[in-house]
C-alpha cells in the first residue's frame, strides 16, 4: 500500500469509468423530477484556484445528493469568455507578443491587425486556458459533459442575440447618447465595475500611460467667461479646465442673489464665440462652493450629462481616443488630452481671462 493518498493517480482512472458508465448523465426522457444547476462558468483569464475548488465541491455534494434522492439531476459545465478581462489578459500576453513582432517587422500596432486577427488570438487563448480549466474540473466533479458550453460559442451567442432583439422589439432597450468610460490604451469602452477610482484630495503628480511626464491632478483652475455686452464676466472653477472646449452652458443656483441679474443671459466662449446660456439648477449647484457658478460640459462629465437632459443643452464631444478633435477648436486639434490642459491654460492667460490655479 502506498504511504500516502495520490488523488491524481486514483481519481483519474475512476473518473474515466464513471463517465463511461454514464453516472453523471441526465436522461431527457426520465419521469423523475428534474433538478438542474449550472457550474458558474470560470473565466478563461487563467487556471482555476482554490476558490473554484470550493464552489465545485459544494455543488458536487448537492448534485450527488439529489441523484441519490431520486431526481433526474443535471449539472452543466462550461467556461466564460470574461469580456474585457480576457481582452486585457490577451493584449498583455499573446497579442502583445504579436504587436511587438508586428512593430519590429512592419511598423504596425495591434490595432492595425484588425478585429478578425484579434478574435483569432482570443480563441487561441480560450483553447489554451479553457482546456486547462475543463481538465481541472474533470478531477472528481460529477458534471454532465454532454452539455459542456462556452459563453461565446454559437448556441450561446445566438441566444444572447435573440434576447437583445426581443428586448429591442419590446422597447426595453434603445439607442441613445450615453457617457462611457473610454480606455485610451485599450481603445474601447469599459464598464463602471472595471474602473479603479482614486480619491485625490490635494495637488498630486501621477503617472499616466502615454505621457512622458507625470500629470498634475487635484488642482482647481478658475477662469472668467465674458458675458454679453455690458454685463461683465462670470468666474467658474474646475479641476479639468481643458473640458471648457466643450462647455455648452454655465449653471448657477436659482436662489443665489449674486447671479439673479444673469438668469436667461449668455456667456461668450473666449475661443469660438459660442453663446453659453446661464441656467438655474438647484440640483447640481452648491452656491457655497468656490464661485457658485459651474461650467457645464455634458459630453465629459456624468453630472453635467444629467444637467444637459434637464435643460436640453447642446452635447459637444471634444475628444477621440484621448486626443482633442476638431470640435475642440483648431488651435487644440490633435493634442493629447492632458497636453491640451496646459495649452488651454496658456490660451486663457493670453486672453486675460483671470485664469488662476489653486
Amino acid at each position: 500500500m502506498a504511504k500516502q493518498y495520490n488523488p491524481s493517480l486514483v481519481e483519474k482512472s475512476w473518473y474515466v469509468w464513471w463517465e463511461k458508465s454514464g453516472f453523471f448523465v441526465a436522461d431527457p426522457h426520465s419521469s423523475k423530477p428534474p433538478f438542474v444547476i449550472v457550474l458558474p462558468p470560470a473565466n478563461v483569464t487563467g487556471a482555476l484556484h482554490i476558490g473554484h475548488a470550493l464552489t465545485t465541491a459544494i455543488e458536487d455534494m448537492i448534485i450527488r445528493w439529489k441523484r441519490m434522492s431520486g431526481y433526474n439531476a443535471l449539472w452543466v459545465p462550461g467556461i466564460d469568455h470574461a469580456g474585457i478581462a480576457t481582452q486585457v489578459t490577451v493584449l498583455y500576453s499573446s497579442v502583445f507578443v504579436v504587436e511587438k513582432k508586428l512593430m519590429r517587422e512592419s511598423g504596425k500596432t495591434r490595432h492595425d491587425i484588425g478585429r478578425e486577427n484579434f478574435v483569432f488570438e482570443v480563441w487561441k487563448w480560450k483553447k489554451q486556458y479553457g482546456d486547462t480549466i475543463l481538465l481541472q474540473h474533470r478531477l472528481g466533479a460529477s458534471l454532465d459533459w454532454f452539455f459542456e458550453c462556452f459563453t461565446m460559442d454559437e448556441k450561446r451567442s445566438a441566444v444572447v442575440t435573440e434576447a437583445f432583439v426581443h428586448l429591442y422589439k419590446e422597447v426595453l432597450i434603445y439607442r441613445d447618447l450615453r457617457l462611457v468610460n473610454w480606455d485610451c490604451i485599450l481603445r474601447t469602452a469599459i464598464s463602471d465595475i472595471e474602473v479603479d477610482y482614486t480619491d485625490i484630495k490635494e495637488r498630486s503628480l501621477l503617472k499616466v500611460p502615454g505621457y512622458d511626464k507625470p500629470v498634475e491632478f487635484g488642482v482647481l483652475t478658475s477662469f472668467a467667461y465674458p458675458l454679453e455686452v455690458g454685463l461683465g464676466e462670470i468666474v467658474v472653477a474646475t479641476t479639468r479646465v481643458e473640458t471648457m472646449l466643450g462647455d455648452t452652458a454655465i449653471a448657477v443656483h436659482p436662489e443665489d442673489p449674486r447671479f439673479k441679474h444673469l438668469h436667461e443671459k449668455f456667456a461668450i466662449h473666449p475661443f469660438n464665440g459660442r453663446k453659453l446660456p446661464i441656467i438655474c439648477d438647484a440640483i447640481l449647484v452648491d452656491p457655497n462652493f468656490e464661485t457658485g457658478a459651474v461650467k457645464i460640459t455634458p459630453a465629459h462629465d456624468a453630472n453635467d450629462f444629467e444637467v444637459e437632459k434637464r435643460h436640453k443643452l447642446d452635447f459637444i464631444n471634444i475628444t477621440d481616443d484621448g486626443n482633442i478633435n476638431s470640435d475642440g477648436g483648431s488651435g487644440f486639434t490633435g493634442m493629447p488630452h492632458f497636453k491640451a490642459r496646459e495649452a488651454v491654460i496658456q490660451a486663457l492667460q493670453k486672453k486675460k481671462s483671470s485664469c488662476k490655479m489653486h
Side-chain angles (χ1 to χ4, degrees), residues 28 35 39 42 71 81 95 121 128 134 161 181 193-194 217 220-222 251 273 296 328 336 340-341 348 350:
F35 181 81
L39 179 70
Y71 286 84
H81 60 76
V95 171
E121 293 294 338
Q128 177 184 353
L134 296 177
T161 301
N181 304 303
I193 199 172
E194 290 153 342
F217 293 91
L220 271 172
T221 302
S222 61
I296 304 299
R341 175 176 295 180
L348 285 170
K350 287 181 181 179

Side-chain angles (χ1 to χ4, degrees), residues 84-189:
I84 195 72
T86 299
Q87 180 175 335
V88 172
T89 303
V90 172
L91 288 177
Y92 290 96
S93 55
S94 59
V95 171
F96 190 59
V97 173
V98 172
E99 182 178 7
K100 288 194 292 186
K101 182 174 181 290
L102 283 169
M103 182 59 69
R104 184 174 63 252
E105 296 179 356
S106 62
K108 293 182 179 180
T109 69
R110 61 181 167 84
H111 302 293
D112 298 323
I113 70 175
R115 174 181 171 80
E116 185 176 338
N117 288 329
F118 175 72
V119 171
F120 174 74
E121 293 294 338
V122 172
W123 279 99
K124 276 173 54 179
W125 181 271
K126 180 264 177 183
K127 175 66 177 173
Q128 177 184 353
Y129 281 92
D131 287 356
T132 299
I133 289 169
L134 296 177
L135 178 61
Q136 287 176 297
H137 272 138
R138 283 183 180 272
L139 299 178
S142 58
L143 293 150
D144 188 341
W145 293 101
F146 177 80
F147 290 95
E148 176 193 333
C149 61
F150 174 49
T151 54
M152 209 169 80
D153 64 27
E154 188 174 342
K155 283 186 178 181
R156 259 49 60 175
S157 296
V159 170
V160 169
T161 301
E162 181 182 353
F164 274 93
V165 169
H166 176 73
L167 290 170
Y168 179 78
K169 288 180 177 179
E170 295 294 322
V171 200
L172 295 172
I173 58 173
Y174 53 90
R175 185 182 295 273
D176 198 0
L177 281 176
R178 291 286 295 175
L179 296 191
V180 298
N181 304 303
W182 185 259
D183 190 308
C184 297
I185 301 299
L186 295 177
R187 292 170 65 180
T188 186

Side-chain angles (χ1 to χ4, degrees), residues 324-353:
I324 304 299
N325 61 28
S326 59
D327 289 332
S330 58
F332 308 96
T333 302
M335 286 186 181
H337 186 101
F338 294 112
K339 290 188 181 300
R341 175 176 295 180
E342 299 173 2
V344 167
I345 291 173
Q346 292 172 4
L348 285 170
Q349 290 171 339
K350 287 181 181 179
K351 290 277 186 181
K352 301 188 184 330
S353 297

